[in-house]
Amino acid sequence: MENENVKKIMHVLRHAPHGTIYTYEGLEMILIMAAYEQDLSVVFIGDGVYALKKGQDTSAIGVKGFSRTFMALDGYDVEKLYVDQISLEERGLSEDDLIVAVEVMNSEKIGRLMKEQDVIIHH
Amino acid sequence: MLHTINKSPFETLTMETCFRFLQPGDPVLFIEDGVYAVQAANRFSPMIESLQKNNPVFALQPDLIARGITAVAEGVDAIDYDGFVGLVEEHQVNNWF
Amino acid sequence: MNIGILLKEGPYNHQASDTAFKFAEAAIKRGHRVDAVFLYNDGVTNVTKLMDPPQDDRNIAARWSELSQKHGVEILACIAASKRRGISDDVLVEGSAITGLGTLTDIAIRNDRLVTFGD
């Protein structure tokens, strides 16, 4: 039975990972919210899909890398990771290029999920 | 679900990205630099026109006035902050940047 | 209706703070309760009392402070984001406070809407 006290909260990551702090601080927010046992989902749209790209190494640009933190989400029971199919394809990427297992979805399906949410936060 | 867009479509893909996820009936509200999208007879006018087949379209009047936009695409409803709150009363929100 | 606001950009650089303020005012005027404005990312710099804009411009920190005192709106800056940006209790305007992301989660859970302003 669906618990009425549990809110559906969706985080939408739309920025590439290192040019701005939005993705990193977005991830910090997701990790804290994960402790509150809400119905969390994380969606990667547009340049947000670059956050999941394998093989990132930030050591030479002097900023903290965090792509591996996405691998820890599962341990926080954040299991609903969705990637927008068009965003992935138009960047010449496929699921094999991503650091974690995700569900690749078309925009229509993500749009329907969005409509079910109580809260949506874009990062 | 109310979608707000605050970017000029001439500068970023925010508007076009948002449109891919819209569900029929979802209202779209242009705010801040987003209002440049609904200036009449610009490159995006056909897109705004076809959007209105399934989605009501609004623009924040104070942002239009601030930017000197007087000719607004047909069918677009100009509302003030009070109207913005009114839309939020009726819908959950999805704020696109 | 109970409304929470999430503000993700600093003052002046983006219109986000101004739109958030106008929205909060309008919501209160329509009889809603604006529970809190949670400041995240560069948004935390909205509440430093060190801000000193020219006389003929709005003082954004003072404006949030006034909203808080007049209408009981909590103005809350995220602690992790604040620490990164040199925002501490010493520089906060009256009516604002520093708190954790858990508080934002509570705000998201207890309100009917969470409206985000950013860039």
Side-chain angles (χ1 to χ4, degrees):
Chain A
M1 207 175 76
E2 213 165 299
N3 185 341
E4 283 180 15
N5 297 318
V6 171
K7 288 226 174 179
K8 286 178 187 282
I9 302 176
M10 176 183 277
H11 292 271
V12 185
L13 298 181
R14 303 223 338 271
H15 282 91
H18 312 302
T20 62
I21 200 169
Y22 298 115
T23 307
Y24 182 69
E25 289 195 323
L27 189 54
E28 285 192 330
M29 187 187 286
I30 292 162
L31 290 170
I32 298 292
M33 284 199 176
Y36 283 72
E37 297 180 343
Q38 302 298 301
D39 183 355
L40 280 196
S41 57
V42 184
V43 185
F44 300 82
I45 293 172
D47 280 351
V49 302
Y50 287 134
L52 297 176
K53 175 85 177 58
K54 276 182 188 163
Q56 297 177 46
D57 178 1
T58 59
S59 54
I61 61 168
V63 304
K64 195 174 155 192
F66 58 92
S67 64
R68 301 183 74 81
T69 310
F70 286 104
M71 295 162 83
L73 285 176
D74 195 48
Y76 287 83
D77 291 325
V78 181
E79 289 153 357
K80 296 178 177 176
L81 304 183
Y82 307 127
V83 168
D84 175 47
Q85 188 175 5
I86 291 182
S87 300
L88 195 61
E89 286 175 3
E90 69 187 4
R91 284 165 181 75
L93 300 173
S94 72
E95 262 182 275
D96 294 340
D97 296 304
L98 307 182
I99 197 163
V100 285
V102 296
E103 188 175 342
V104 178
M105 270 188 195
N106 64 37
S107 312
E108 161 64 23
K109 200 166 171 197
I110 293 173
R112 268 185 275 133
L113 277 179
M114 283 176 164
K115 194 147 183 160
E116 292 172 8
Q117 303 300 312
D118 296 303
V119 173
I120 299 183
I121 299 172
H122 288 245
H123 296 282
Chain B
M1 170 157 280
L2 169 70
H3 298 257
T4 68
I5 297 167
N6 78 335
K7 290 289 182 306
S8 162
F10 294 97
E11 193 185 359
T12 76
L13 289 170
T14 302
M15 180 185 87
E16 287 169 77
T17 304
C18 166
F19 285 2
R20 283 201 281 122
F21 299 91
L22 289 181
Q23 300 296 295
D26 283 356
V28 176
L29 169 64
F30 290 95
I31 67 171
E32 301 175 356
D33 284 348
V35 298
Y36 287 115
V38 300
Q39 176 152 31
N42 73 16
R43 182 157 76 76
F44 296 95
S45 298
M47 213 181 272
I48 297 300
E49 192 185 333
S50 94
L51 172 68
Q52 293 186 68
K53 285 175 193 152
N54 292 309
N55 301 85
V57 181
F58 302 86
L60 204 54
Q61 174 88 313
D63 282 322
L64 289 168
I65 295 170
R67 289 162 179 81
I69 303 172
T70 48
V72 171
E74 207 181 314
V76 175
D77 199 353
I79 59 173
D80 56 11
Y81 295 103
D82 184 72
F84 184 177
V85 176
L87 286 171
V88 171
E89 289 166 10
E90 290 171 42
H91 306 273
Q92 290 293 351
V93 290
N94 194 348
N95 308 111
W96 297 77
F97 307 115
Chain C
M1 184 172 270
N2 293 310
I3 298 172
I5 290 174
L6 171 61
L7 174 55
K8 296 176 85 254
E9 293 296 343
Y12 306 105
N13 217 22
H14 299 275
Q15 202 189 334
S17 177
D18 298 289
T19 308
F21 181 78
K22 289 282 186 187
F23 178 87
E25 269 190 335
I28 291 164
K29 209 170 160 194
R30 273 177 81 97
H32 299 300
R33 177 165 179 271
V34 177
D35 177 34
V37 177
F38 191 90
L39 308 170
Y40 200 52
N41 303 124
D42 278 356
V44 296
T45 61
N46 271 274
V47 285
T48 162
K49 64 184 175 196
L50 300 180
M51 127 181 3
D52 187 17
Q55 288 283 323
D56 62 347
D57 199 358
R58 66 224 188 277
N59 184 313
I60 288 180
R63 204 167 62 176
W64 286 124
S65 179
E66 205 182 302
L67 186 81
S68 162
Q69 289 168 44
K70 251 190 179 163
H71 301 287
V73 181
E74 289 191 86
I75 313 291
L76 304 167
C78 166
I79 186 163
S82 292
K83 280 186 156 185
R84 275 194 187 102
R85 294 163 177 88
I87 300 297
S88 66
D89 287 331
D90 300 339
V91 302
L92 293 184
V93 286
E94 209 175 320
S96 62
I98 293 177
T99 182
L101 281 166
T103 307
L104 173 66
T105 315
D106 287 333
I107 292 166
I109 294 169
R110 73 178 178 233
N111 285 285
D112 302 300
R113 299 285 185 273
L114 181 70
V115 186
T116 311
F117 296 90
D119 203 81

